[in-house]
Amino acid sequence: MDEGTIRPLDSSLPALSGEGETNELIVLPRLGEEQAQRLEIDFKSELNEQQYAAVTSPGGYNLVLAGAGTGKTRVITYRVAWLISQGVPPSAILLATFTNKAAEEMVLRVERLLGGRLRGIMAGTFHSIAARLLRRYGELIGYRPDYTILDETDQVSLLRRVREEVASRESARFLPRPKSLITLFSYAINTQKSLEQAVEEKLSADQLTNLALIEAIFDRYREVKREQNLMDFDDLLVNILRLLTEHPKVRQALAERFQHVLVDEYQDVNLLQAEMVEHLSSVHGNLFVVGDDAQSIYGFRGADYTRIQSFPDRFPEVTIYKLERNYRSLSPILNLANAVMERSLFRRSELSKVLFAHRREEGEKPVLITVDDEHDQAELVAMMILRKLNEESLAPRDIAVLYRSHRYSQELEVELTRLGIPYTIRGGLRFMERAHIKDTLAFLNFLHNPRDTVSLARMLEMVPGVGVKTVNRIAGLILRSDDPFTEFIERGWQEGSSRAREGLRQVRDLLIQLREMGERGERPGRLIGHVLDEYYLEALKLRYPNWRERAGDVEQLAIFAARFENLAQFLHEIALHMGFAAEQVVQGPEPDTEGRVTLSTIHQAKGLEWRVVFIVSVNDQVIPHIYTVGDPYAHEEERRLLYVAITRAKDELYLIAPSRRLTQNDDLYLLRPSPFIKEIPRSILRRARVSWES
């Protein structure tokens, strides 16, 4: 029997072959056994002591705690090479990762080590591994082999039809949009929480009144998928567990095949993923998981932090290996990272790590810089970046600014643009280009220029029942008038259908209120706050699963607008910022050869590194986020988030904390540094204060 084949246990179970499969997984030609026996890799000289111990583990349950920058990928790839050098067939190895790119990179590294191509190793994401196994065995749980996997666009389309089938047109007006419902359902599935719990956590409390309707949509959505032989990505995990638990012969056959199961980024697994790999490793008991409990930061996506913490409890025979030699950062930065994690509420002594630097040279201590407000913060960071580019000859690509949420990039984007410093936003759009910001600005633009049909269209198309035809009819009517604003207020809004009329009336009322506020001399920040509070917040709740974050962005826009005397000044500044992208470094190298400064959320920065890192708005209620108050698990995830940010820096690290914030109502709100930072002794973190001369 070929090593890539599982012989069926009875005629109802199709064979699983290592050849001729779909391209959902990386399947490469196998290294021959004779070649494997001739391998002459000097593992001991190519790995440090901690890495070598983990790589050459004799087997069993192994937990490798790999601190930031300690060579996690190196350990996994050398582990695969070690197993093959010991005579383990590649087809008997399963490697589960979170991205296909990571799996591909690891397999290619192993091939370079071995000097040949692999065949039969099953390497891929949890979802792709599940998809391949379900192609072979899915009929046992009611799916034909030709089932279709839905992508996000397909999911939205299907759920929209289901929602229209289950909910009346009137009740659907008060339901979240399909994309928000998909996010809700996915969170409930991956955390194994009830829909009621998920609604409370992911939507808003007022949606609990629609709970029965949401449950009916969820039930019908699952029913339609089964009827039409469809699976979404969550179904892949749910169904592979159904297969493994309901059909013990299949579980036994698969677990016999996979002599060694390896898992990357184990700190990010959810309950379904953890149970999947535990089933597949149940016969041989060789489960090798690599992760960092200090970098578990995806609880909001359903990652279960307790799985890595409780691994020794579930498998008492476990061997724990720690990778603590850091190849990225200088000692002062690692000292700060260690100090942050030392106060963790859920610290377990057998899992705790103390990072130490492979690069022995000392550097400058990280600095906590206190500034007056967020505007001063942006000016300071931009000026420091400019100095490093011009005076210290750093390339823009060597510098990153990290923040808790994209809303904290706005002021900085303005300053970088003003100074001509090129930047890129990792994993997102420029602040002013985001949909919810442009939605908000549409009201102000129309108020300022009622002949702006682009803003009119954006404003009206938020209303349920309003489409292109209605917008064109209203636009044609008001543009024929000498006073377009009054024409819309008095007659234009009535051009919509009966379904749209109520929403158009709300827009009309809001515009009347905004005009009155403007006539009283209210600043633009107050106008934006009024748009959010009186109209747009409800729209956000229905349109976006991350409505709280988007509402915070709009609040940040209002704070930025509060400094302008009138609407015209504010819109003029916004137009200049949106119309001018920084393309050159002042007196510096060309961006096409030296790149751009990176602006990124901390989540998006995980796994990356820069020579110089600025972490901005390191304040209480930012890190940790205000929504984590009273939730110790969420609070500690915020601590880990700060740890991830700190460990992105190689040479220099600056933490910036504003002391106050001016709200859109011109109120002064005092800010405190993050409590995580307040715990740090002065011997580890320098303190400085900057105040600009008037």
Side-chain angles (χ1 to χ4, degrees), residues 188 289 409-410 412 511 530 568 625:
V289 303
S409 75
Q410 183 201 11
L412 185 61
L511 288 170
H530 192 75
H625 197 281

Side-chain angles (χ1 to χ4, degrees), residues 43 64 112 142 248 332 337 348 369 384 387 390 404 449 610:
F43 289 92
V64 181
R112 285 197 290 269
R348 293 183 60 164
I369 305 175
M384 291 180 71
R387 185 176 67 186
N390 291 342
R404 177 64 178 78
N449 174 19
W610 295 270

Side-chain angles (χ1 to χ4, degrees), residues 308-499:
I308 192 169
Q309 284 267 303
S310 64
F311 197 85
D313 302 327
R314 296 198 311 283
F315 306 106
E317 66 273 36
V318 67
T319 303
I320 298 175
Y321 300 94
K322 298 179 184 179
L323 306 184
E324 298 169 301
R325 182 187 294 275
N326 178 284
Y327 291 88
R328 176 186 300 152
S329 306
L330 296 178
S331 291
I333 294 170
L334 298 180
N335 292 340
L336 176 61
N338 290 330
V340 167
M341 291 309 300
E342 190 176 356
R343 297 293 189 96
S344 173
L345 296 179
F346 304 116
R347 183 180 176 90
R348 293 183 60 164
S349 59
E350 71 270 31
L351 302 183
S352 62
K353 304 176 300 299
V354 178
L355 297 179
F356 61 92
H358 179 72
R359 300 162 61 194
R360 292 299 183 183
E361 68 268 26
E362 284 293 321
E364 294 293 330
K365 291 179 184 177
V367 188
L368 172 65
I369 305 175
T370 306
V371 294
D372 287 341
D373 55 31
E374 290 170 338
H375 179 62
D376 284 356
Q377 171 177 259
E379 284 193 345
L380 172 67
V381 172
M383 291 298 294
M384 291 180 71
I385 290 174
L386 189 64
R387 185 176 67 186
K388 291 185 179 301
L389 296 176
N390 291 342
E391 299 178 13
E392 300 179 25
S393 299
L394 263 69
R397 64 167 179 261
D398 292 328
I399 303 172
V401 184
L402 308 182
Y403 35 74
R404 177 64 178 78
S405 169
H406 276 304
R407 80 187 64 164
Y408 300 106
S409 75
Q410 183 201 11
E411 297 268 8
L412 185 61
E413 288 183 53
V414 171
E415 285 303 311
L416 293 178
T417 300
R418 186 177 68 82
L419 294 177
I421 299 174
Y423 66 90
T424 183
I425 307 243
R426 181 171 174 78
L429 298 169
R430 295 172 187 263
F431 187 87
M432 296 300 176
E433 294 170 355
R434 291 166 198 152
H436 47 293
I437 297 300
K438 296 180 79 170
D439 286 348
T440 306
L441 291 173
F443 290 93
L444 274 61
N445 281 321
F446 183 75
L447 181 67
H448 182 64
N449 174 19
R451 296 187 181 278
D452 179 356
T453 57
V454 174
S455 293
L456 173 72
R458 189 171 196 104
M459 184 174 62
L460 297 185
E461 286 174 358
M462 297 182 215
V463 177
V466 172
V468 175
K469 289 183 179 179
T470 302
V471 170
N472 288 341
R473 194 163 59 248
I474 294 174
L477 176 68
I478 69 174
L479 288 177
R480 290 193 294 270
S481 171
D482 292 335
D483 187 352
F485 188 89
T486 301
E487 185 68 26
F488 176 79
I489 295 300
E490 294 182 352
R491 285 174 290 278
W493 69 276
Q494 301 182 54
E495 289 292 311
S497 64
S498 57
R499 178 189 173 202

Side-chain angles (χ1 to χ4, degrees), residues 642-660:
L642 180 60
Y643 171 88
V644 167
I646 291 169
T647 53
R648 299 312 94 199
K650 296 167 69 175
D651 300 334
E652 298 178 41
L653 176 64
Y654 303 91
L655 301 92
I656 321 295
S659 299
R660 63 189 183 188

